Amino acid sequence: MQTAAQVLVALVALIHTYFLVLEMFLWDTPRGRKAFSTTEEFSAQSATLAANQGLYNGFMAAGLVWSLIAADPVGYQAAVFFLSCLIVAGVYGAATVSRKILYVQAAPAALALAVVLAAG
């Protein structure tokens, strides 16, 4: 069970690293606009905000990586904390921006959290 928890935490960290790349570096490109369903005009106007959001996603990914390499109880506590933050942010994003966020952010984090708690 511990291995499954670590794999899921690593997967969530990779997802948020991908979000970092999309938001910080690809936001104002066709790929970024397609991923977030934005127009050229909107992506140009909001690039700085998106980069800031990407940085936050990078911090979330870094926290999850830290949880994988830190000894317990710190590693376990960090995983629970960062996954919980991602679930709350995902639910809020789904309620305020797009229901899609519930599936691409909150659901993977919730699954990982459930397995982390079961393994703990």
Side-chain angles (χ1 to χ4, degrees):
M1 185 68 80
Q2 185 65 28
T3 301
Q6 290 175 332
V7 167
L8 289 172
V9 168
L11 180 62
V12 173
L14 284 173
I15 290 169
H16 285 274
T17 300
Y18 179 63
F19 293 160
L20 174 148
V21 171
L22 278 174
E23 292 169 342
M24 292 188 80
F25 306 110
L26 301 176
W27 182 260
D28 201 21
T29 67
R31 183 180 181 128
R33 287 190 295 273
K34 181 179 180 188
F36 295 100
S37 301
T38 60
T39 64
E40 282 187 50
E41 181 181 15
F42 179 80
S43 68
Q45 292 173 347
S46 60
T48 303
L49 291 171
N52 184 270
Q53 184 62 33
L55 186 61
Y56 283 102
N57 276 301
F59 289 136
M60 291 291 107
L64 292 173
V65 169
W66 173 44
S67 80
L68 293 171
I69 60 175
D72 285 333
V74 173
Y76 174 81
Q77 293 165 343
V80 169
F81 173 77
F82 284 100
L83 291 168
S84 297
C85 288
L86 290 173
I87 294 165
V88 170
V91 169
Y92 182 79
T96 60
V97 179
S98 168
R99 185 177 293 273
K100 179 180 173 183
I101 297 170
L102 190 64
Y103 305 110
V104 299
Q105 179 174 325
L111 175 62
L113 179 60
V115 177
V116 165
L117 292 173

